[in-house]
Amino acid sequence: MAAGRATRPAALAALTALAPVSWGTTYAVTTEFLPPDRPLFTALARALPAGLLLLAVTRVLPRGLWWAKAAVLGALNIGAFFPLLFVSAYRLPGGMAAVVGSVQPLFVVGLSALLLGQRPAARTLATGLVAAFGVSLVVLKGAGALDTVGVLAAVASTASMAAGTVLTKRWGRPGGVGPLALTGWQLTAGGLLIAPLAFLAEGAPPALDGPAVGGYLYLALANTAVGYWLWFRGIGRLTAVQVGFLGPLSPLTAAVVGWAALGQALNPVQVAGMALAFGATLAAQLGGGRRSFSSTRKSGRRDSMDLTGPALRR
């Protein structure tokens, strides 16, 4: 019985990890198959078709206050995150575009302290720093000159995703609504936010060849519809720290894809960095995040803003 309870969180974490692993392939797909210099159209093509598909499958719409909540979460997790992500992907090398994602756990910790009044444990901060340092060893060596706009877009995209993760955990889901419907709400809301920006800034959609169509289908279906369903499902059942520390798997995957598919070499320092980052990610999962925060409140009742409370695992 105890073994079964111990295995289930590990399985949930492994399934949730498939999302950032999938997202780590975004950079290679963008640079190798998609039309150049169309970050907003690419973000739109990734989000809106996937969201509409999930809405058609679930046939569940938000009600009451959840219209506003879905719009906010859609803006943070999709509407702002996707365009910023693709701006960084187009302007930076794949590894460099992903490096800032390694500090997502620290963003999650900071935003939890700021917005939810929870003080991070020293172990959590140290683990986050180790993960960021490990990823930096993987992707920063020999990266060349930095593109300022690309770096700022990468930082902003990571902050947006971290804020979306914290609020998704904070708000949970309305009763009777599953993670698939919640994913569809956010993808649709984010896609509708991106659409006017894409057409105003980039004009009509570009002509697409076969590889581009395949790339967009992959991003919309496997990378986004399935990936974000796994991600939001994990947020609902794991602690915020566990989910946040899965983020570094994305840049690690980008580095592995670059090595395996694009002929980019990995030296011993980079391999050591991958081991550090993966070890920090694993440590956060084993720790479970239950001692990662200590509430600043002294009330004897359960704090309604507790990130790790069972009331939010709906």
Side-chain angles (χ1 to χ4, degrees):
M1 184 78 67
R5 286 196 299 267
T7 301
R8 191 181 179 194
L12 287 171
L15 284 173
T16 307
L18 294 177
V21 167
S22 171
W23 300 336
T25 66
T26 300
Y27 309 101
V29 172
T30 299
T31 56
E32 297 299 312
F33 300 111
L34 304 187
D37 301 322
R38 301 302 294 266
L40 292 175
F41 175 78
T42 298
L44 174 62
R46 183 183 176 190
L48 191 55
L52 293 175
L53 174 64
L54 294 184
L55 286 183
V57 169
T58 60
R59 298 185 179 183
V60 177
L61 293 176
R63 289 187 293 180
L65 188 59
W66 267 98
W67 282 102
K69 289 184 176 181
V72 171
L73 294 177
L76 291 171
N77 287 319
I78 310 298
F81 175 68
F82 278 10
L84 292 167
L85 173 71
F86 284 109
V87 167
S88 67
Y90 276 112
R91 299 182 71 100
L92 298 173
M96 177 61 69
V99 67
V100 183
S102 66
V103 302
Q104 181 176 317
L106 298 177
F107 274 102
V108 170
V109 168
L111 288 170
S112 298
L114 178 65
L115 300 178
L116 306 179
Q118 294 182 327
R119 185 180 60 208
R123 174 183 172 181
T124 304
L125 293 174
T127 306
L129 290 172
V130 169
F133 178 68
V135 172
S136 70
L137 292 179
V138 177
V139 300
L140 287 183
K141 185 175 179 62
L146 300 181
D147 180 282
T148 301
V149 173
V151 171
L152 290 176
V155 171
S157 69
T158 301
S160 179
M161 185 67 168
T165 297
V166 171
L167 285 179
T168 301
K169 185 65 180 178
R170 169 69 184 93
W171 288 339
R173 298 192 306 270
V177 173
L180 200 64
L182 180 66
T183 304
W185 297 352
Q186 295 189 49
L187 288 172
T188 303
L192 291 175
L193 180 64
I194 297 168
L197 300 176
F199 289 110
L200 287 174
E202 298 178 355
L208 303 179
D209 57 15
V213 171
Y216 282 126
L217 285 174
Y218 167 76
L219 290 181
L221 298 177
N223 184 281
T224 301
V226 175
Y228 272 88
W229 168 65
L230 290 171
W231 185 252
F232 294 133
R233 178 176 179 268
I235 291 176
R237 301 186 182 191
L238 300 170
T239 69
V241 169
Q242 284 177 296
V243 176
F245 270 87
L246 294 174
L249 294 177
S250 179
L252 294 182
T253 301
V256 172
V257 171
W259 167 74
L262 304 180
Q264 299 171 357
L266 288 175
N267 59 40
V269 172
Q270 291 172 302
V271 173
M274 294 179 70
L276 278 175
F278 185 77
T281 299
L282 183 60
Q285 304 312 308
L286 295 177
R290 299 188 183 279
R291 295 184 180 179
S292 300
F293 291 98
S294 58
S295 176
T296 59
R297 307 179 191 275
K298 296 183 179 180
S299 171
R301 64 179 177 81
R302 180 181 299 277
D303 189 349
S304 64
M305 302 177 90
D306 180 11
L307 274 175
T308 62
L312 293 179
R313 298 191 194 121
R314 293 180 289 173

